[in-house]
């Protein structure tokens, strides 16, 4: 994105934000505040991403706003109890979730149980029906670039609509290196006339410069017209403040959080 000002980057990034509160201490009052923040003076974010116990509340608050409600399952551990994960998915959808962010059982995948990981994703895909499924690979824990590439392909083959880098709950979360690998897989799928798969970097993205770096990689690999909320999101809490500051011409405050 050559010669784009911070305000121009912010204008492009704001409608791509999944405004997130996955704090352990999150309260109903916090969800009220999050949903209020989702409709900004510069337009709405794409979605809020919250714990399942708050989905009904958020769906009611955001009804008719165009802001989608995303929630997490198998989060953040990426465990092996597929029946429980499927049940949680069905309940979240019944409560009003538009999107499910599933942590793939990445430890099982890394240990060689790829069929198990694929089956869990496929079962959740089935439970999602027509709802959007984002699969969190936890790339910082997988580590190996070849395994990140393989995990991306596996998630897509099992039915992911999006592949997402991270939970935001581990030491290494979104990185530009992981983004490069995952976006390259998405381009490979597109070249083969496969489905249009989305990408969501999450965890540690807090500044306009951070957002610009991820958008630049997407533009380079997939073309300048590819990025849209239908297949690119930022998972973040602190990023919104930085984007609004840039759009208002203010100095950003120090952003914290997911």
């Amino acid at each position: 994105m050559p010669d784009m000002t911070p305000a121009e980057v912010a204008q492009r990034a704001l409608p791509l934000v999944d405004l997130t509160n996955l704090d352990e201490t999150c309260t109903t009052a916090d969800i009220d505040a999050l949903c209020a923040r989702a409709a900004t003076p510069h337009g709405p974010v794409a979605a809020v991403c919250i714990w399942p116990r708050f989905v009904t509340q958020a769906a009611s608050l955001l009804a008719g706003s165009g802001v989608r409600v995303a929630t997490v399952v198998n989060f953040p551990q990426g465990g092996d109890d597929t029946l429980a994960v499927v049940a949680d998915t069905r309940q979240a959808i019944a409560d009003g979730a538009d999107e499910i962010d599933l942590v793939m059982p990445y430890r099982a995948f890394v240990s060689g149980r790829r069929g198990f990981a694929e089956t869990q994703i496929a079962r959740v895909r089935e439970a999602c029906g027509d709802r959007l499924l984002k699969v969190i690979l936890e790339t910082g824990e997988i580590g190996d670039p070849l395994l990140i590439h393989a995990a991306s392909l596996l998630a897509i083959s099992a039915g992911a609509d999006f592949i997402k880098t991270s939970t935001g709950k581990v030491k290494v979360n979104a990185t530009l290196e992981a983004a490069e690998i995952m976006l390259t897989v998405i381009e490979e799928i597109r070249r083969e006339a496969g489905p249009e798969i989305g990408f969501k970097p999450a965890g540690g993205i807090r500044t306009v410069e951070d957002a610009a770096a991820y958008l630049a990689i997407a533009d380079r690999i997939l073309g300048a017209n590819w990025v849209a909320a239908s297949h690119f999101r930022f998972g973040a809490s602190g990023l919104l403040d930085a984007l609004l500051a840039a759009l208002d011409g203010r100095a950003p405050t120090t952003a914290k959080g997911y």
Side-chain angles (χ1 to χ4, degrees):
M1 296 179 299
D3 303 321
M4 288 190 75
T5 67
E8 288 170 333
V9 173
Q11 184 175 35
R12 190 179 184 202
L14 187 146
L16 310 175
V17 171
D18 281 3
L19 185 61
T20 301
N21 189 331
L22 294 169
D23 294 340
E24 297 293 343
T25 57
C26 186
T27 66
T28 56
D30 292 329
I31 297 302
D32 287 342
L34 191 80
C35 291
R37 290 181 67 216
T40 84
H42 299 281
V45 300
V48 297
C49 187
I50 54 177
W51 292 107
R53 63 184 180 272
F54 299 119
V55 166
T56 299
Q57 177 187 354
S60 176
L61 290 168
L62 294 170
S65 70
V67 177
R68 297 168 68 85
V69 176
T71 193
V72 291
V73 296
N74 209 22
F75 187 96
Q77 293 85 5
D80 289 358
D81 190 346
T82 297
L83 291 177
V85 177
V86 169
D88 290 345
T89 301
R90 289 176 175 152
Q91 185 62 57
I93 289 169
D95 289 344
D98 301 299
E99 304 177 2
I100 299 294
D101 287 28
L102 161 71
V103 184
M104 71 175 285
Y106 60 89
R107 295 182 188 88
F109 171 81
V110 170
S111 70
R113 299 168 61 204
R114 298 190 182 191
F116 177 87
E118 186 172 22
T119 297
Q120 184 178 110
I121 296 167
R123 292 284 305 278
V124 173
R125 167 75 273 164
E126 182 180 6
C128 281
D130 61 357
R131 304 306 202 278
L132 198 72
L133 174 61
K134 309 188 200 93
V135 175
I136 304 169
L137 307 184
E138 202 68 289
T139 53
E141 294 292 285
I142 292 175
D144 185 323
L146 292 177
L147 284 180
I148 293 171
H149 188 278
S152 300
L153 287 172
L154 181 144
I156 293 167
S157 71
D161 298 303
F162 270 68
I163 48 177
K164 176 178 171 181
T165 60
S166 323
T167 61
K169 300 291 187 179
V170 295
K171 184 176 180 180
V172 177
N173 291 288
T175 66
L176 296 174
E177 293 77 14
E180 178 101 19
I181 296 165
M182 295 166 71
L183 287 163
T184 297
V185 170
I186 290 169
E187 171 59 10
E188 290 168 357
I189 297 292
R190 189 170 71 163
R191 282 203 312 265
E192 296 170 1
E196 190 74 80
I197 304 300
F199 172 66
K200 179 177 173 179
I205 301 169
R206 299 187 176 95
T207 67
V208 174
E209 292 76 16
D210 291 339
Y214 285 97
L215 292 170
I217 293 177
D219 287 348
R220 173 168 54 80
I221 295 174
L222 287 147
N225 296 322
W226 181 79
V227 169
S230 56
H231 43 255
F232 189 104
R233 304 283 183 85
F234 290 109
S237 58
L239 178 61
L240 181 60
D241 289 336
L243 299 179
L244 293 175
L247 287 165
D248 291 339
R250 297 181 283 108
T253 57
T254 302
K256 298 180 180 179
Y258 181 84

